[in-house]
Amino acid sequence: MVPGTICYRRRPAPAQRDANGLRHSAPHPVRSGGVSEPEYTNSTPGGDAISGSGLVAEKARRIARVDQLRADGVEPYPYRFDRTHSAAEVRAAGADLEPGTETDVAVAVAGRVMLKRDSGKLVFLTIADRGVDVQLFVSKAVVGDDAFAGIKALDRGDWVGVHGTVMTTRVGEISIKVERLELLSKSIRPLPDKWHGLTDPDTRFRQRYADLVVNADARRVFEIRHAIIASIRSTLVARGFIEVETPVLHAELGGATARPFITHHNTLDMPLYLRIATELHLKRLIVGGMDRVFEIGRTFRNEGMDTTHNPEFTMMESYEAFTDVHGVMELTEALITNAARDSLGTTLIDVAGEQVELTDPWPRVRMVDLASEAVGETVHPSQPVDHLRAIADRHGVHCDKAWGSGKIIEELFAELCEKSVVRPTFVTGHPVEISPLARLDPDDPHLTDRFELFILGKEFANGYSELNDPVDQLQRFEAEQAARDAGDNERGTIDLDYVRALEYGMPPTGGLGVGIDRLVMLLAGVDSIKDVILFPTLRPEANPQ
RNA sequence: GCCCCUCUAGCUCAAUGGUAGAGCAGUGGACUUUUAAUCCAUUGGUUGUGGGUUCGAGCCCCACGGGGGGCACCA
């Protein structure tokens, strides 16, 4: 997100539900003296808090206004407002009106006060309702003196509901001529700058509510995110997939190689892991005959954080019986192309300054071929480890002693090729050693029937023909366990229950995993995963104020 | 873990080592067609925290904390 593009006016800010945190309990601490919270104490030498300025005084002033309203018999936090139109509907209703037109179209609309222009006996309020703003035209002569004074006393950030009629001003601005205005929720904390919004990334992530109120780009990203997820869901459902939910709390780790979060269940008195993948549960469902399943869910990895990694992130995994890796690649292209069309309205997207037409076929290249090209000679997992290690050394690629030929080839690819794969590309044929759950390539027993989708040098998706031979699977698990015992603590363990499931028989199956957050980053055109997660993981604030 | 950048009023930003300022918001006033309304007046600061150097520190040095970016590690 480019801070310079953030402003309220150029792109109307959203009206986000968040007012329920503003409840305040009388008596008013400034005057009662019974509450010792420092934020409400007097900070103005020689005067009471209300006469000063700054946040403390501003909040005190607005709380005093709340008290005054109650004293006048007006509830500043009423329960309900029945509206007849959204701001967008009002805009549609007034779209064809000439400037300076009044109508009899009666509307009841609610929104948050974003701007206030007071010109004496007229007040113009801009309210935001679900990201669309509409102007309120308030005339003292229409609403009466008392109500007019109350409207003048409104603050930016207050929620209001109005009854009035649709009109246009002399310059053609579609407006609601207010007959009656009702305060729906008094805001006691000032909104960020009406023109510049919030720019400090720390504050934007910590106070996402404020970010969403004033920064339309933030709201836009999450609308795109929603559209992408909805699109993925509809593409899958249209293909006969059903959505399922599998456990987040796992007694065994599996389905990926990653360090987990560990928690504890009191009654069972046992450790539990937050899942690092949904794969093994979903394939158990394929064994059970569910045939086509998917899950869009949070997974957790207790590892580093950077612009593409958050400790909790959203993954879509799907499993389809009777297809293989080629079917999964076709599905992947369809999912992402549809997601772009449904969220952006186009399949022509910008990838690092290049225009990419997603409907063009995506290249499919074997990992061993890319690695061979990079090192200038043929590499293949059938070659001796020492030979490959020598090649890696020559190219400055560090290899762990415990690694076999296949892992070294992956490392060569990761170090020498990965970053240069910018346009969407299926990298295929991963070595068996690094693919404990994938089927062998029918033409090459050293490789698997697998792909990873790379865009912008990052992995976006991973899929393969699922290994369904229970004997082979057990041997692969044993190899994982052996590698783990040999000191590679990132490798997996033996999941005997999963092997038992396979023993009942799993049909040929193609499986897919897609990193939703990265996909949203790609399509929304943002560089940080924190921009696509509403509440990214952060250290807690010492003293929220 | 290492390196670089950053932190000043509620928000957005200024300030050669020499009295901490502006715009917005707020407060008081004017204004019946405004559009970041405008105009007049005005309030508001433990410069992230703690040390140090200096006659004097927002600025220089050190440490710590938050955040951003990069590298490493990890996958």
Side-chain angles (χ1 to χ4, degrees), chain A residues 53 61 117-118 135 169 171 193-194 257 490 539:
Chain A
S53 185
R61 186 189 67 78
R117 293 176 291 279
D118 180 346
Q135 177 169 275
T169 62
V171 291
D193 191 282
K194 67 183 177 187
T257 47
E490 304 298 338
R539 284 195 162 83

mmCIF file of all heavy atoms in Angstrom, chain A residues 53 61 117-118 135 169 171 193-194 257 490 539, chain B residues 11 23 25 27 33-35 37 43 66 68 74-75:
data_model
loop_
_atom_site.group_PDB
_atom_site.id
_atom_site.type_symbol
_atom_site.label_atom_id
_atom_site.label_comp_id
_atom_site.label_asym_id
_atom_site.label_seq_id
_atom_site.Cartn_x
_atom_site.Cartn_y
_atom_site.Cartn_z
ATOM 1 N N SER A 53 -6.689 20.821 25.665
ATOM 2 C CA SER A 53 -6.690 20.172 24.367
ATOM 3 C C SER A 53 -5.892 18.889 24.483
ATOM 4 O O SER A 53 -5.520 18.469 25.573
ATOM 5 C CB SER A 53 -6.083 21.104 23.321
ATOM 6 O OG SER A 53 -6.184 20.523 22.054
ATOM 7 N N ARG A 61 -13.972 15.940 27.002
ATOM 8 C CA ARG A 61 -15.004 16.811 26.462
ATOM 9 C C ARG A 61 -16.148 15.994 25.858
ATOM 10 O O ARG A 61 -17.326 16.289 26.053
ATOM 11 C CB ARG A 61 -14.398 17.723 25.386
ATOM 12 C CG ARG A 61 -15.356 18.765 24.851
ATOM 13 C CD ARG A 61 -14.781 19.494 23.655
ATOM 14 N NE ARG A 61 -14.622 18.665 22.485
ATOM 15 C CZ ARG A 61 -15.626 18.316 21.675
ATOM 16 N NH1 ARG A 61 -16.857 18.713 21.925
ATOM 17 N NH2 ARG A 61 -15.406 17.552 20.634
ATOM 18 N N ARG A 117 -19.040 20.295 7.389
ATOM 19 C CA ARG A 117 -18.819 21.651 6.876
ATOM 20 C C ARG A 117 -19.966 22.514 7.383
ATOM 21 O O ARG A 117 -21.117 22.313 7.024
ATOM 22 C CB ARG A 117 -18.782 21.632 5.341
ATOM 23 C CG ARG A 117 -17.599 20.894 4.760
ATOM 24 C CD ARG A 117 -17.652 20.818 3.241
ATOM 25 N NE ARG A 117 -18.726 19.959 2.770
ATOM 26 C CZ ARG A 117 -18.652 18.633 2.713
ATOM 27 N NH1 ARG A 117 -17.547 18.015 3.073
ATOM 28 N NH2 ARG A 117 -19.681 17.925 2.294
ATOM 29 N N ASP A 118 -19.593 23.449 8.224
ATOM 30 C CA ASP A 118 -20.584 24.260 8.914
ATOM 31 C C ASP A 118 -20.584 25.651 8.293
ATOM 32 O O ASP A 118 -19.582 26.346 8.325
ATOM 33 C CB ASP A 118 -20.176 24.322 10.402
ATOM 34 C CG ASP A 118 -21.154 25.149 11.225
ATOM 35 O OD1 ASP A 118 -21.980 25.875 10.628
ATOM 36 O OD2 ASP A 118 -21.069 25.065 12.461
ATOM 37 N N GLN A 135 -23.722 12.856 1.167
ATOM 38 C CA GLN A 135 -23.767 14.117 1.897
ATOM 39 C C GLN A 135 -25.127 14.331 2.540
ATOM 40 O O GLN A 135 -26.160 14.038 1.943
ATOM 41 C CB GLN A 135 -23.465 15.263 0.925
ATOM 42 C CG GLN A 135 -23.551 16.631 1.560
ATOM 43 C CD GLN A 135 -22.986 17.712 0.656
ATOM 44 O OE1 GLN A 135 -21.796 17.960 0.630
ATOM 45 N NE2 GLN A 135 -23.858 18.351 -0.108
ATOM 46 N N THR A 169 -27.575 19.383 -4.658
ATOM 47 C CA THR A 169 -27.257 20.776 -4.355
ATOM 48 C C THR A 169 -27.081 21.547 -5.656
ATOM 49 O O THR A 169 -27.151 20.982 -6.741
ATOM 50 C CB THR A 169 -25.961 20.865 -3.544
ATOM 51 O OG1 THR A 169 -24.903 20.332 -4.336
ATOM 52 C CG2 THR A 169 -26.075 20.084 -2.253
ATOM 53 N N VAL A 171 -24.506 22.583 -6.998
ATOM 54 C CA VAL A 171 -23.419 22.073 -7.842
ATOM 55 C C VAL A 171 -23.602 20.596 -8.179
ATOM 56 O O VAL A 171 -22.727 19.976 -8.765
ATOM 57 C CB VAL A 171 -22.032 22.286 -7.181
ATOM 58 C CG1 VAL A 171 -21.695 23.761 -7.144
ATOM 59 C CG2 VAL A 171 -21.996 21.679 -5.798
ATOM 60 N N ASP A 193 -6.327 11.856 10.915
ATOM 61 C CA ASP A 193 -6.394 12.974 9.976
ATOM 62 C C ASP A 193 -7.324 12.669 8.802
ATOM 63 O O ASP A 193 -7.219 11.637 8.155
ATOM 64 C CB ASP A 193 -4.983 13.257 9.465
ATOM 65 C CG ASP A 193 -4.912 14.560 8.701
ATOM 66 O OD1 ASP A 193 -5.333 14.576 7.527
ATOM 67 O OD2 ASP A 193 -4.454 15.536 9.291
ATOM 68 N N LYS A 194 -8.233 13.611 8.553
ATOM 69 C CA LYS A 194 -9.265 13.346 7.542
ATOM 70 C C LYS A 194 -8.700 13.286 6.134
ATOM 71 O O LYS A 194 -9.329 12.742 5.237
ATOM 72 C CB LYS A 194 -10.347 14.417 7.628
ATOM 73 C CG LYS A 194 -9.884 15.811 7.234
ATOM 74 C CD LYS A 194 -11.005 16.811 7.430
ATOM 75 C CE LYS A 194 -10.530 18.221 7.115
ATOM 76 N NZ LYS A 194 -11.555 19.232 7.449
ATOM 77 N N THR A 257 6.561 -29.976 6.681
ATOM 78 C CA THR A 257 7.722 -29.909 7.553
ATOM 79 C C THR A 257 7.808 -28.499 8.103
ATOM 80 O O THR A 257 8.035 -27.545 7.362
ATOM 81 C CB THR A 257 9.005 -30.250 6.777
ATOM 82 O OG1 THR A 257 9.011 -29.537 5.556
ATOM 83 C CG2 THR A 257 9.070 -31.722 6.493
ATOM 84 N N GLU A 490 13.600 -31.290 11.326
ATOM 85 C CA GLU A 490 12.469 -30.751 10.576
ATOM 86 C C GLU A 490 11.690 -31.861 9.888
ATOM 87 O O GLU A 490 10.630 -31.614 9.318
ATOM 88 C CB GLU A 490 12.952 -29.747 9.526
ATOM 89 C CG GLU A 490 13.769 -28.612 10.099
ATOM 90 C CD GLU A 490 12.982 -27.753 11.080
ATOM 91 O OE1 GLU A 490 11.747 -27.767 10.993
ATOM 92 O OE2 GLU A 490 13.609 -27.101 11.930
ATOM 93 N N ARG A 539 4.025 -7.860 18.513
ATOM 94 C CA ARG A 539 4.265 -7.796 19.951
ATOM 95 C C ARG A 539 3.198 -6.908 20.572
ATOM 96 O O ARG A 539 2.795 -5.915 19.979
ATOM 97 C CB ARG A 539 5.637 -7.197 20.241
ATOM 98 C CG ARG A 539 6.761 -8.151 19.981
ATOM 99 C CD ARG A 539 8.028 -7.628 20.641
ATOM 100 N NE ARG A 539 9.005 -8.681 20.772
ATOM 101 C CZ ARG A 539 9.836 -9.055 19.794
ATOM 102 N NH1 ARG A 539 9.795 -8.446 18.641
ATOM 103 N NH2 ARG A 539 10.684 -10.037 19.986
ATOM 104 P P C B 11 -1.410 9.988 17.230
ATOM 105 O OP1 C B 11 -1.072 8.557 17.163
ATOM 106 O OP2 C B 11 -0.406 10.978 17.654
ATOM 107 O "O5'" C B 11 -1.966 10.434 15.812
ATOM 108 C "C5'" C B 11 -2.898 9.617 15.113
ATOM 109 C "C4'" C B 11 -3.279 10.293 13.814
ATOM 110 O "O4'" C B 11 -3.936 11.551 14.117
ATOM 111 C "C3'" C B 11 -2.113 10.691 12.925
ATOM 112 O "O3'" C B 11 -1.676 9.617 12.117
ATOM 113 C "C2'" C B 11 -2.691 11.839 12.119
ATOM 114 O "O2'" C B 11 -3.533 11.349 11.096
ATOM 115 C "C1'" C B 11 -3.572 12.529 13.166
ATOM 116 N N1 C B 11 -2.891 13.635 13.870
ATOM 117 C C2 C B 11 -2.696 14.848 13.191
ATOM 118 O O2 C B 11 -3.068 14.938 12.017
ATOM 119 N N3 C B 11 -2.116 15.882 13.829
ATOM 120 C C4 C B 11 -1.724 15.739 15.097
ATOM 121 N N4 C B 11 -1.151 16.798 15.696
ATOM 122 C C5 C B 11 -1.893 14.519 15.817
ATOM 123 C C6 C B 11 -2.476 13.499 15.169
ATOM 124 P P G B 23 -1.376 26.786 11.287
ATOM 125 O OP1 G B 23 -2.003 27.993 10.717
ATOM 126 O OP2 G B 23 -1.592 26.443 12.706
ATOM 127 O "O5'" G B 23 -1.807 25.533 10.422
ATOM 128 C "C5'" G B 23 -1.799 25.601 8.997
ATOM 129 C "C4'" G B 23 -2.162 24.265 8.412
ATOM 130 O "O4'" G B 23 -1.133 23.300 8.757
ATOM 131 C "C3'" G B 23 -3.432 23.645 8.984
ATOM 132 O "O3'" G B 23 -4.608 24.166 8.391
ATOM 133 C "C2'" G B 23 -3.217 22.169 8.666
ATOM 134 O "O2'" G B 23 -3.433 21.915 7.291
ATOM 135 C "C1'" G B 23 -1.721 22.028 8.966
ATOM 136 N N9 G B 23 -1.511 21.652 10.371
ATOM 137 C C8 G B 23 -1.173 22.461 11.429
ATOM 138 N N7 G B 23 -1.069 21.815 12.561
ATOM 139 C C5 G B 23 -1.358 20.501 12.233
ATOM 140 C C6 G B 23 -1.411 19.349 13.051
ATOM 141 O O6 G B 23 -1.195 19.249 14.266
ATOM 142 N N1 G B 23 -1.755 18.220 12.316
ATOM 143 C C2 G B 23 -2.019 18.210 10.966
ATOM 144 N N2 G B 23 -2.334 17.032 10.431
ATOM 145 N N3 G B 23 -1.969 19.271 10.192
ATOM 146 C C4 G B 23 -1.641 20.376 10.886
ATOM 147 P P A B 25 -10.300 20.782 10.565
ATOM 148 O OP1 A B 25 -11.604 20.593 9.898
ATOM 149 O OP2 A B 25 -9.900 22.117 11.040
ATOM 150 O "O5'" A B 25 -10.204 19.792 11.813
ATOM 151 C "C5'" A B 25 -10.641 18.452 11.694
ATOM 152 C "C4'" A B 25 -10.387 17.712 12.984
ATOM 153 O "O4'" A B 25 -8.967 17.676 13.249
ATOM 154 C "C3'" A B 25 -10.973 18.365 14.231
ATOM 155 O "O3'" A B 25 -12.349 18.082 14.397
ATOM 156 C "C2'" A B 25 -10.102 17.752 15.322
ATOM 157 O "O2'" A B 25 -10.468 16.419 15.573
ATOM 158 C "C1'" A B 25 -8.734 17.786 14.641
ATOM 159 N N9 A B 25 -8.066 19.070 14.914
ATOM 160 C C8 A B 25 -7.921 20.131 14.070
ATOM 161 N N7 A B 25 -7.295 21.152 14.600
ATOM 162 C C5 A B 25 -7.018 20.728 15.889
ATOM 163 C C6 A B 25 -6.375 21.351 16.973
ATOM 164 N N6 A B 25 -5.879 22.588 16.921
ATOM 165 N N1 A B 25 -6.271 20.661 18.131
ATOM 166 C C2 A B 25 -6.786 19.422 18.180
ATOM 167 N N3 A B 25 -7.406 18.725 17.229
ATOM 168 C C4 A B 25 -7.488 19.440 16.100
ATOM 169 P P U B 27 -15.218 21.243 19.657
ATOM 170 O OP1 U B 27 -16.369 20.671 20.377
ATOM 171 O OP2 U B 27 -15.355 21.644 18.239
ATOM 172 O "O5'" U B 27 -14.662 22.490 20.461
ATOM 173 C "C5'" U B 27 -14.442 22.399 21.872
ATOM 174 C "C4'" U B 27 -13.889 23.701 22.388
ATOM 175 O "O4'" U B 27 -12.550 23.895 21.848
ATOM 176 C "C3'" U B 27 -14.633 24.952 21.942
ATOM 177 O "O3'" U B 27 -15.793 25.189 22.719
ATOM 178 C "C2'" U B 27 -13.567 26.027 22.111
ATOM 179 O "O2'" U B 27 -13.393 26.347 23.476
ATOM 180 C "C1'" U B 27 -12.331 25.284 21.624
ATOM 181 N N1 U B 27 -12.104 25.492 20.172
ATOM 182 C C2 U B 27 -11.459 26.656 19.803
ATOM 183 O O2 U B 27 -11.102 27.500 20.593
ATOM 184 N N3 U B 27 -11.269 26.795 18.448
ATOM 185 C C4 U B 27 -11.636 25.912 17.452
ATOM 186 O O4 U B 27 -11.388 26.178 16.280
ATOM 187 C C5 U B 27 -12.299 24.735 17.930
ATOM 188 C C6 U B 27 -12.503 24.569 19.238
ATOM 189 P P U B 33 -25.483 29.992 0.789
ATOM 190 O OP1 U B 33 -24.300 30.638 1.366
ATOM 191 O OP2 U B 33 -26.328 30.713 -0.201
ATOM 192 O "O5'" U B 33 -25.052 28.615 0.145
ATOM 193 C "C5'" U B 33 -24.195 27.724 0.864
ATOM 194 C "C4'" U B 33 -23.896 26.535 -0.010
ATOM 195 O "O4'" U B 33 -25.041 25.639 0.018
ATOM 196 C "C3'" U B 33 -23.630 26.888 -1.471
ATOM 197 O "O3'" U B 33 -22.659 25.997 -1.983
ATOM 198 C "C2'" U B 33 -24.979 26.604 -2.132
ATOM 199 O "O2'" U B 33 -24.878 26.259 -3.492
ATOM 200 C "C1'" U B 33 -25.480 25.411 -1.307
ATOM 201 N N1 U B 33 -26.942 25.279 -1.267
ATOM 202 C C2 U B 33 -27.517 24.206 -1.920
ATOM 203 O O2 U B 33 -26.859 23.375 -2.509
ATOM 204 N N3 U B 33 -28.875 24.136 -1.851
ATOM 205 C C4 U B 33 -29.709 25.011 -1.201
ATOM 206 O O4 U B 33 -30.923 24.806 -1.222
ATOM 207 C C5 U B 33 -29.052 26.109 -0.550
ATOM 208 C C6 U B 33 -27.718 26.203 -0.610
ATOM 209 P P U B 34 -21.325 26.559 -2.696
ATOM 210 O OP1 U B 34 -21.353 28.020 -2.638
ATOM 211 O OP2 U B 34 -21.201 25.846 -4.002
ATOM 212 O "O5'" U B 34 -20.160 26.017 -1.771
ATOM 213 C "C5'" U B 34 -19.843 26.646 -0.544
ATOM 214 C "C4'" U B 34 -19.509 25.605 0.484
ATOM 215 O "O4'" U B 34 -20.709 24.881 0.846
ATOM 216 C "C3'" U B 34 -18.561 24.518 -0.008
ATOM 217 O "O3'" U B 34 -17.221 24.922 0.102
ATOM 218 C "C2'" U B 34 -18.884 23.361 0.930
ATOM 219 O "O2'" U B 34 -18.259 23.526 2.173
ATOM 220 C "C1'" U B 34 -20.388 23.537 1.125
ATOM 221 N N1 U B 34 -21.204 22.665 0.260
ATOM 222 C C2 U B 34 -21.236 21.317 0.553
ATOM 223 O O2 U B 34 -20.597 20.830 1.466
ATOM 224 N N3 U B 34 -22.029 20.557 -0.265
ATOM 225 C C4 U B 34 -22.782 21.006 -1.317
ATOM 226 O O4 U B 34 -23.451 20.196 -1.946
ATOM 227 C C5 U B 34 -22.704 22.408 -1.561
ATOM 228 C C6 U B 34 -21.935 23.170 -0.785
ATOM 229 P P U B 35 -16.159 24.493 -1.001
ATOM 230 O OP1 U B 35 -14.873 25.076 -0.591
ATOM 231 O OP2 U B 35 -16.729 24.761 -2.340
ATOM 232 O "O5'" U B 35 -16.043 22.899 -0.863
ATOM 233 C "C5'" U B 35 -15.400 22.322 0.275
ATOM 234 C "C4'" U B 35 -15.441 20.815 0.146
ATOM 235 O "O4'" U B 35 -16.810 20.392 -0.048
ATOM 236 C "C3'" U B 35 -14.642 20.277 -1.036
ATOM 237 O "O3'" U B 35 -14.034 19.064 -0.664
ATOM 238 C "C2'" U B 35 -15.710 20.005 -2.079
ATOM 239 O "O2'" U B 35 -15.385 19.006 -2.981
ATOM 240 C "C1'" U B 35 -16.888 19.568 -1.193
ATOM 241 N N1 U B 35 -18.167 19.779 -1.873
ATOM 242 C C2 U B 35 -18.996 18.689 -2.037
ATOM 243 O O2 U B 35 -18.737 17.583 -1.597
ATOM 244 N N3 U B 35 -20.149 18.946 -2.733
ATOM 245 C C4 U B 35 -20.533 20.149 -3.258
ATOM 246 O O4 U B 35 -21.602 20.227 -3.864
ATOM 247 C C5 U B 35 -19.624 21.231 -3.038
ATOM 248 C C6 U B 35 -18.494 21.017 -2.373
ATOM 249 P P A B 37 -13.892 19.252 4.796
ATOM 250 O OP1 A B 37 -13.812 19.518 6.242
ATOM 251 O OP2 A B 37 -14.759 18.227 4.267
ATOM 252 O "O5'" A B 37 -14.267 20.611 4.025
ATOM 253 C "C5'" A B 37 -13.763 21.829 4.479
ATOM 254 C "C4'" A B 37 -13.944 22.863 3.392
ATOM 255 O "O4'" A B 37 -15.360 23.180 3.266
ATOM 256 C "C3'" A B 37 -13.292 24.205 3.679
ATOM 257 O "O3'" A B 37 -11.909 24.193 3.378
ATOM 258 C "C2'" A B 37 -14.088 25.123 2.758
ATOM 259 O "O2'" A B 37 -13.699 24.969 1.419
ATOM 260 C "C1'" A B 37 -15.500 24.537 2.931
ATOM 261 N N9 A B 37 -16.239 25.201 4.010
ATOM 262 C C8 A B 37 -16.564 24.708 5.245
ATOM 263 N N7 A B 37 -17.236 25.539 5.998
ATOM 264 C C5 A B 37 -17.360 26.663 5.212
ATOM 265 C C6 A B 37 -17.960 27.909 5.429
ATOM 266 N N6 A B 37 -18.600 28.232 6.554
ATOM 267 N N1 A B 37 -17.902 28.819 4.432
ATOM 268 C C2 A B 37 -17.266 28.499 3.302
ATOM 269 N N3 A B 37 -16.669 27.361 2.979
ATOM 270 C C4 A B 37 -16.748 26.478 3.982
ATOM 271 P P U B 43 -3.168 30.093 22.852
ATOM 272 O OP1 U B 43 -2.330 30.727 23.890
ATOM 273 O OP2 U B 43 -2.603 29.827 21.507
ATOM 274 O "O5'" U B 43 -3.709 28.713 23.431
ATOM 275 C "C5'" U B 43 -4.452 28.685 24.645
ATOM 276 C "C4'" U B 43 -5.048 27.327 24.858
ATOM 277 O "O4'" U B 43 -5.903 27.000 23.726
ATOM 278 C "C3'" U B 43 -4.053 26.175 24.895
ATOM 279 O "O3'" U B 43 -3.456 26.039 26.184
ATOM 280 C "C2'" U B 43 -4.928 24.977 24.550
ATOM 281 O "O2'" U B 43 -5.690 24.553 25.660
ATOM 282 C "C1'" U B 43 -5.873 25.600 23.514
ATOM 283 N N1 U B 43 -5.437 25.322 22.140
ATOM 284 C C2 U B 43 -5.647 24.036 21.657
ATOM 285 O O2 U B 43 -6.163 23.168 22.333
ATOM 286 N N3 U B 43 -5.237 23.816 20.380
ATOM 287 C C4 U B 43 -4.639 24.731 19.529
ATOM 288 O O4 U B 43 -4.329 24.391 18.391
ATOM 289 C C5 U B 43 -4.448 26.043 20.096
ATOM 290 C C6 U B 43 -4.842 26.282 21.356
ATOM 291 P P G B 66 10.526 -5.017 21.617
ATOM 292 O OP1 G B 66 9.778 -6.259 21.859
ATOM 293 O OP2 G B 66 11.830 -5.061 20.925
ATOM 294 O "O5'" G B 66 9.595 -4.001 20.836
ATOM 295 C "C5'" G B 66 8.302 -3.704 21.338
ATOM 296 C "C4'" G B 66 7.637 -2.668 20.462
ATOM 297 O "O4'" G B 66 8.327 -1.392 20.583
ATOM 298 C "C3'" G B 66 7.681 -2.949 18.969
ATOM 299 O "O3'" G B 66 6.722 -3.911 18.559
ATOM 300 C "C2'" G B 66 7.418 -1.555 18.397
ATOM 301 O "O2'" G B 66 6.061 -1.217 18.524
ATOM 302 C "C1'" G B 66 8.242 -0.692 19.357
ATOM 303 N N9 G B 66 9.601 -0.478 18.831
ATOM 304 C C8 G B 66 10.754 -1.093 19.209
ATOM 305 N N7 G B 66 11.797 -0.687 18.538
ATOM 306 C C5 G B 66 11.292 0.265 17.660
ATOM 307 C C6 G B 66 11.941 1.060 16.677
ATOM 308 O O6 G B 66 13.132 1.083 16.379
ATOM 309 N N1 G B 66 11.037 1.888 16.011
ATOM 310 C C2 G B 66 9.694 1.939 16.259
ATOM 311 N N2 G B 66 8.991 2.788 15.511
ATOM 312 N N3 G B 66 9.079 1.211 17.169
ATOM 313 C C4 G B 66 9.932 0.401 17.829
ATOM 314 P P G B 68 6.576 -4.475 11.482
ATOM 315 O OP1 G B 68 5.420 -5.086 10.802
ATOM 316 O OP2 G B 68 7.536 -5.325 12.195
ATOM 317 O "O5'" G B 68 7.377 -3.599 10.426
ATOM 318 C "C5'" G B 68 6.678 -2.693 9.591
ATOM 319 C "C4'" G B 68 7.654 -1.938 8.729
ATOM 320 O "O4'" G B 68 8.545 -1.150 9.564
ATOM 321 C "C3'" G B 68 8.602 -2.783 7.907
ATOM 322 O "O3'" G B 68 8.001 -3.288 6.727
ATOM 323 C "C2'" G B 68 9.733 -1.812 7.625
ATOM 324 O "O2'" G B 68 9.351 -0.885 6.630
ATOM 325 C "C1'" G B 68 9.824 -1.079 8.962
ATOM 326 N N9 G B 68 10.805 -1.717 9.852
ATOM 327 C C8 G B 68 10.556 -2.509 10.941
ATOM 328 N N7 G B 68 11.644 -2.931 11.533
ATOM 329 C C5 G B 68 12.671 -2.375 10.786
ATOM 330 C C6 G B 68 14.079 -2.467 10.929
ATOM 331 O O6 G B 68 14.716 -3.078 11.785
ATOM 332 N N1 G B 68 14.747 -1.760 9.943
ATOM 333 C C2 G B 68 14.141 -1.040 8.947
ATOM 334 N N2 G B 68 14.948 -0.427 8.087
ATOM 335 N N3 G B 68 12.832 -0.936 8.795
ATOM 336 C C4 G B 68 12.162 -1.629 9.743
ATOM 337 P P C B 74 19.660 -23.725 8.733
ATOM 338 O OP1 C B 74 20.242 -24.987 9.231
ATOM 339 O OP2 C B 74 19.894 -23.303 7.332
ATOM 340 O "O5'" C B 74 18.092 -23.772 8.962
ATOM 341 C "C5'" C B 74 17.563 -24.028 10.260
ATOM 342 C "C4'" C B 74 16.099 -23.684 10.306
ATOM 343 O "O4'" C B 74 15.915 -22.286 9.973
ATOM 344 C "C3'" C B 74 15.220 -24.405 9.289
ATOM 345 O "O3'" C B 74 14.898 -25.723 9.701
ATOM 346 C "C2'" C B 74 14.008 -23.489 9.233
ATOM 347 O "O2'" C B 74 13.185 -23.683 10.374
ATOM 348 C "C1'" C B 74 14.668 -22.109 9.331
ATOM 349 N N1 C B 74 14.870 -21.535 7.990
ATOM 350 C C2 C B 74 13.778 -20.954 7.339
ATOM 351 O O2 C B 74 12.677 -20.954 7.917
ATOM 352 N N3 C B 74 13.940 -20.428 6.111
ATOM 353 C C4 C B 74 15.137 -20.453 5.521
ATOM 354 N N4 C B 74 15.241 -19.922 4.317
ATOM 355 C C5 C B 74 16.275 -21.039 6.163
ATOM 356 C C6 C B 74 16.091 -21.564 7.385
ATOM 357 P P A B 75 14.832 -26.876 8.598
ATOM 358 O OP1 A B 75 14.416 -28.109 9.298
ATOM 359 O OP2 A B 75 16.072 -26.849 7.811
ATOM 360 O "O5'" A B 75 13.659 -26.392 7.634
ATOM 361 C "C5'" A B 75 12.348 -26.845 7.874
ATOM 362 C "C4'" A B 75 11.361 -25.998 7.102
ATOM 363 O "O4'" A B 75 11.997 -24.790 6.630
ATOM 364 C "C3'" A B 75 10.815 -26.648 5.825
ATOM 365 O "O3'" A B 75 9.682 -27.437 6.128
ATOM 366 C "C2'" A B 75 10.447 -25.448 4.949
ATOM 367 O "O2'" A B 75 9.113 -25.043 5.104
ATOM 368 C "C1'" A B 75 11.346 -24.335 5.481
ATOM 369 N N9 A B 75 12.338 -23.894 4.484
ATOM 370 C C8 A B 75 13.632 -23.540 4.716
ATOM 371 N N7 A B 75 14.308 -23.179 3.646
ATOM 372 C C5 A B 75 13.381 -23.290 2.642
ATOM 373 C C6 A B 75 13.465 -23.050 1.262
ATOM 374 N N6 A B 75 14.568 -22.636 0.657
ATOM 375 N N1 A B 75 12.370 -23.269 0.519
ATOM 376 C C2 A B 75 11.256 -23.710 1.136
ATOM 377 N N3 A B 75 11.050 -23.963 2.421
ATOM 378 C C4 A B 75 12.167 -23.733 3.134
#
